[in-house]
């Protein structure tokens, strides 16, 4: 057995998870924390996302940081609740003219 908590930047669940972890009294080293940052934000954006995650979780380290959807969604569709449905009449992901062929 073990304890693992999975979160994602897009799910907006790190602050309540961090609070619940603190309230549980379980030592941090006994819980595996995994979270995801948006994959298309680039190197600097990913570092900022990781720093934000540390702050929101009130912890000094994250055990596993993944890139969540390593592509850019169509403009105005970030955070769409249903990833396989169009957003604002556009496809959620537009690969660009070269990849459409």
């Amino acid at each position: 057995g073990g304890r693992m908590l999975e979160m994602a930047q897009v799910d907006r669940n790190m602050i309540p998870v961090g609070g619940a972890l603190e309230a549980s009294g379980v030592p941090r080293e006994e819980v595996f924390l995994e979270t995801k940052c948006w994959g298309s934000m680039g190197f600097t954006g990913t570092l900022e996302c990781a720093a934000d995650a540390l702050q929101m979780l009130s912890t000094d380290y994250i055990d596993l940081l993944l890139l969540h959807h390593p592509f850019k969604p169509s403009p105005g569709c970030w955070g769409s609740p249903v990833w396989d449905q169009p957003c604002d009449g556009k496809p959620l992901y537009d690969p660009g003219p070269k990849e459409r062929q």
Side-chain angles (χ1 to χ4, degrees):
R3 297 179 174 113
M4 178 192 170
L5 297 171
E6 182 270 333
M7 297 139 292
Q9 177 194 42
V10 71
D11 295 338
R12 300 182 186 121
N13 58 1
M14 287 187 253
I15 292 173
V17 167
L21 180 60
E22 185 177 347
S24 75
V26 176
R28 168 63 187 92
E29 59 274 4
E30 292 182 18
V31 180
F32 187 92
L33 295 179
E34 180 254 309
T35 191
K36 298 177 228 45
C37 289
W38 200 254
S40 62
M41 59 177 60
F43 182 77
T44 302
T46 301
L47 291 178
E48 290 171 2
C49 174
D52 290 346
L54 290 171
Q55 183 176 6
M56 288 186 277
L57 289 166
S58 299
T59 189
D60 294 331
Y61 65 99
I62 295 167
D63 297 289
L64 178 62
L65 179 70
L66 300 173
L67 296 182
H68 197 18
H69 294 285
F71 57 79
K72 285 188 177 184
S74 297
C77 293
W78 188 90
S80 174
V82 184
W83 286 102
D84 61 350
Q85 299 295 318
C87 173
D88 293 333
K90 299 174 277 195
L92 183 62
Y93 170 61
D94 182 357
K98 181 178 178 185
E99 295 178 14
R100 280 190 213 125
Q101 300 172 358

